[in-house]
């Protein structure tokens, strides 16, 4: 139940962006580095994803359908159910940030890791999380436009930025995979560090812009309590649905459905947010996602340990 060191680093960079924000030429340089980092990040995502593995894993398509429905149907519906919170408990902007949590794809690393620890079907988890990341490149911007169109300006320019920064590099990575695969395998640890460094840079640049725009003046401690409570509720409801929906497929698949269907990707969500949202709104939009990510790591580690120790189906 320890705090993830990566979350500590993210909080540290967020704090640095508040206390010592990048400005002027420094901010311009950081912004360019962020764009380059995002392109490289999604290129590497594409290069790591085995197309053949996805095709093979789709033989159990019913399992993957449950995970996709949880990620891109159940969660958005839960996001819609949050609408009554505004304006009584949260601002319209913070409500949009909470809904954004429901729109990002599943995460690969923790889904696969927790599934493996719990004795679940790792192959299903790898394919499901990878497919979710791929679909997220298309579906997350679409869902943002449909559900947050009144609060977030998603126009043709934003769509083109998504295509240029996320989709095209991803597809290029898929094409280059056949030549890069040995190199990727040799440098896996270093590449994961690059992934995290890119996310940290996105956070620092975003929080710097937020500080420069005086965005923090609209938050108070009650907002933090609401965000935490909503994240707990989202994880609880999705956990119950995914656990019982996966029972029909056997224990190994059930475990994979549980972790892949409830997790949300911080590594994919932050770059997407930096493209979809303005500099002034970006910091607020990612705060709930960071809270949910830490929560899923704490709960996931506990559930995975219980399942591993028990060796049987255990209700989370």
């Amino acid at each position: 139940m320890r705090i993830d060191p990566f979350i500590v680093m993210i909080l540290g960079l967020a704090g640095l962006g508040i206390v010592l924000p990048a400005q002027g030429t420094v901010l311009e340089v950081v912004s360019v580095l962020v764009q380059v980092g995002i392109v490289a990040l999604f290129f590497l995502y594409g290069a790591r994803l085995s197309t053949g593995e996805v095709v093979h894993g789709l033989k159990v398509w019913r399992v993957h359908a449950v995970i996709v429905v949880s990620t891109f149907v159940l969660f958005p519906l839960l996001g819609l159910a949050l609408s009554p919170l505004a304006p009584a408990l949260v601002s319209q902007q913070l409500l949009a940030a909470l809904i954004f949590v429901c729109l990002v794809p599943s995460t690969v690393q923790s889904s696969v890791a927790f599934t493996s620890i719990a004795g679940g079907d790792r192959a299903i988890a790898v394919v499901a999380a990878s497919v979710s990341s791929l679909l997220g490149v298309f579906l997350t911007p679409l869902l943002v436009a449909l559900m947050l169109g009144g609060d977030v300006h998603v126009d043709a320019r934003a769509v083109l930025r998504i295509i240029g920064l996320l989709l095209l590099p991803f597809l290029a990575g898929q094409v280059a995979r056949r030549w890069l695969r040995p190199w990727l395998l040799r440098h896996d640890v270093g590449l994961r560090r690059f992934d995290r460094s890119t996310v940290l840079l996105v956070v620092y640049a975003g929080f710097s812009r937020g500080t420069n725009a005086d965005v923090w003046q609209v938050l108070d401690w009650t907002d933090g309590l609401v965000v935490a409570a909503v994240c707990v509720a989202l994880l609880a409801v999705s956990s119950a649905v995914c656990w019982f929906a996966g029972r029909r497929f056997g224990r190994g698949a059930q475990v994979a459905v549980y972790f892949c269907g409830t997790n949300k990707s911080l590594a994919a969500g932050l770059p997407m947010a930096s493209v979809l949202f303005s500099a002034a709104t970006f910091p607020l939009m990612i705060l709930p996602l960071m809270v949910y990510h830490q929560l899923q790591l704490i709960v996931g580690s506990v559930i995975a340990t219980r399942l591993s120790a028990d060796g049987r189906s255990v209700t989370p």
Side-chain angles (χ1 to χ4, degrees), residues 163-196:
I163 293 174
L165 289 175
L166 309 184
L167 180 58
L168 292 182
F170 185 93
L171 295 177
Q174 280 279 281
V175 173
R177 173 179 168 78
R178 59 181 300 183
W179 297 287
L180 292 179
R181 186 171 182 273
W183 182 83
L184 292 171
L185 293 174
R186 290 197 306 270
H187 297 87
D188 182 67
V189 175
L191 291 174
R192 292 186 185 279
R193 290 174 179 168
F194 172 79
D195 290 352
R196 295 194 164 198

Side-chain angles (χ1 to χ4, degrees), residues 4 28 44 101 119 121 131 230 264 280 291 293 301 309:
D4 181 15
E28 292 178 6
L44 291 172
V101 175
D121 192 321
V131 169
V230 169
K264 289 295 182 178
V291 173
H293 181 81
S301 64

Side-chain angles (χ1 to χ4, degrees), residues 33-316:
L33 292 176
V34 165
Q35 303 299 312
V36 173
I38 291 174
V39 169
L41 187 68
F42 278 82
F43 175 82
L44 291 172
Y45 281 164
R48 289 169 179 162
L49 176 59
S50 170
T51 306
E53 187 177 35
V54 171
V55 173
H56 177 72
L58 289 177
K59 292 179 179 179
V60 288
W61 63 270
R62 289 180 179 85
V63 178
H64 296 294
V66 171
I67 296 170
V68 169
V69 168
S70 174
T71 303
F72 296 112
V73 178
L74 172 63
F75 266 100
L77 290 176
L78 292 176
L80 287 176
L82 299 176
S83 298
L85 293 177
L89 296 178
V90 295
S91 66
Q92 194 64 37
Q93 190 176 43
L94 193 54
L95 174 64
L98 288 167
I99 293 175
F100 179 65
V101 175
C102 301
L103 309 183
V104 301
S106 181
T107 184
V108 177
Q109 288 92 340
S110 59
S111 295
V112 174
F114 288 148
T115 299
S116 299
I117 292 170
D121 192 321
R122 187 178 185 277
I124 290 178
V126 170
V127 174
S130 299
V131 169
S132 179
S133 296
L134 175 58
L135 290 176
V137 175
F138 301 94
L139 294 182
T140 297
L142 176 62
L143 290 169
V144 167
L146 291 175
M147 297 180 63
L148 302 177
D151 305 295
V152 179
H153 187 56
V154 181
D155 55 13
R157 183 178 179 183
V159 174
L160 290 176
R161 289 191 69 201
I162 285 286
I163 293 174
L165 289 175
L166 309 184
L167 180 58
L168 292 182
F170 185 93
L171 295 177
Q174 280 279 281
V175 173
R177 173 179 168 78
R178 59 181 300 183
W179 297 287
L180 292 179
R181 186 171 182 273
W183 182 83
L184 292 171
L185 293 174
R186 290 197 306 270
H187 297 87
D188 182 67
V189 175
L191 291 174
R192 292 186 185 279
R193 290 174 179 168
F194 172 79
D195 290 352
R196 295 194 164 198
S197 298
T198 300
V199 170
L200 292 173
L201 196 60
V202 169
V203 170
Y204 177 64
F207 274 74
S208 293
R209 295 191 186 100
T211 300
N212 295 336
D214 296 323
V215 72
W216 307 116
Q217 295 180 4
V218 302
L219 285 177
D220 57 39
W221 65 272
T222 59
D223 292 323
L225 292 179
V226 173
V227 167
V230 169
C231 287
V232 169
L234 289 174
L235 184 57
V237 173
S238 62
S239 294
V241 172
C242 288
W243 185 257
F244 288 105
R247 293 179 68 177
R248 58 179 296 190
F249 304 116
R251 183 187 184 279
Q254 181 185 25
V255 172
V257 168
Y258 171 73
F259 287 113
C260 295
T262 60
N263 281 2
K264 289 295 182 178
S265 176
L266 187 68
L270 292 187
M272 288 180 179
S274 71
V275 176
L276 290 169
F277 307 125
S278 68
T281 61
F282 173 83
L284 282 181
M285 295 302 295
I286 66 171
L287 277 175
L289 181 58
M290 291 195 295
V291 173
Y292 187 90
H293 181 81
Q294 179 60 35
L295 181 64
Q296 78 186 16
L297 290 178
I298 294 173
V299 174
S301 64
V302 173
I303 298 300
T305 302
R306 286 183 59 197
L307 290 172
S308 176
D310 185 75
R312 302 184 303 275
S313 293
V314 178
T315 302

